Amino acid sequence: MLLWDIFVLFTRVALFSWGGGPASLALMQRECVTAGWVTSAEFADAVAVGNALPGPIAPQVSAYVGYKLAGVSGAVSAAAGTVLPTTILMLVMIVFFFGIKDSPNVKAMLTAVRPGVICLLVWTAYDMARTVLGANKAGWGAALVGGWDKLIIAAAAFGLLTFTAINPVFIILGAAVFGLMVYR
């Protein structure tokens, strides 16, 4: 029964989030934390691990949560719930979309959905920042003072992503090496 519950939760997240994997993380986090399957900190760890690997983030994070709950079969159930329903839906939609993609109604809907996706991404970053910096417990002032080192890491990573063509994998690997040297 747990495997079915895992599959259904991740299917629900996949079907009711817009904007792809990163945008689905906000809803995924809310659903998984509300279900009591992971804490916000564990979810942040899942996102960090998923970002350190190549490939789409949503199935990776869902597999992390599924594995925590039910081992390999839980990971497979979670990843399948994240990928299968939307892949089938996408295959069906492709057939119809090319016939309506230039429709004013479709363009109007997409114009409004895109800013909503930005909101989901910003909220996910905000919630992860609260967890990583400790603002959930200490408040933002204490978190910013106590987490200054993590802010510098985040700012450096943001600067590298924004102003260079460096592959994000190398940024994550560099942060991991830095963490191993400094925080061990």
Side-chain angles (χ1 to χ4, degrees), residues 85-148:
T86 54
T87 301
I88 293 167
L89 183 60
M90 185 64 180
L91 291 172
V92 171
M93 290 298 296
I94 288 170
V95 172
F96 295 108
F97 182 73
F98 281 100
I100 62 168
K101 71 180 175 70
D102 295 323
S103 158
N105 290 336
V106 171
K107 286 182 179 183
M109 288 188 289
L110 291 175
T111 298
V113 166
R114 289 178 187 129
V117 170
I118 291 170
C119 172
L120 293 173
L121 292 168
V122 169
W123 181 86
T124 300
Y126 165 78
D127 196 60
M128 286 182 63
R130 274 190 336 190
T131 300
V132 169
L133 298 176
N136 291 336
K137 298 175 188 168
W140 277 106
L144 293 175
V145 171
W148 64 269

Side-chain angles (χ1 to χ4, degrees), residues 3-18:
L3 295 178
W4 178 250
D5 291 340
I6 291 169
F7 179 82
V8 168
L9 183 139
F10 286 104
T11 294
R12 187 172 59 239
V13 167
L15 292 176
F16 292 102
S17 57
W18 296 81

Side-chain angles (χ1 to χ4, degrees), residues 20-25 28 46-47 49-64 79 82-83 86-87:
S24 72
L25 293 179
M28 187 182 296
V47 172
V49 169
N51 275 315
L53 299 171
I57 188 74
Q60 293 167 340
V61 173
S62 65
Y64 179 104
T82 302
V83 174
T86 54
T87 301

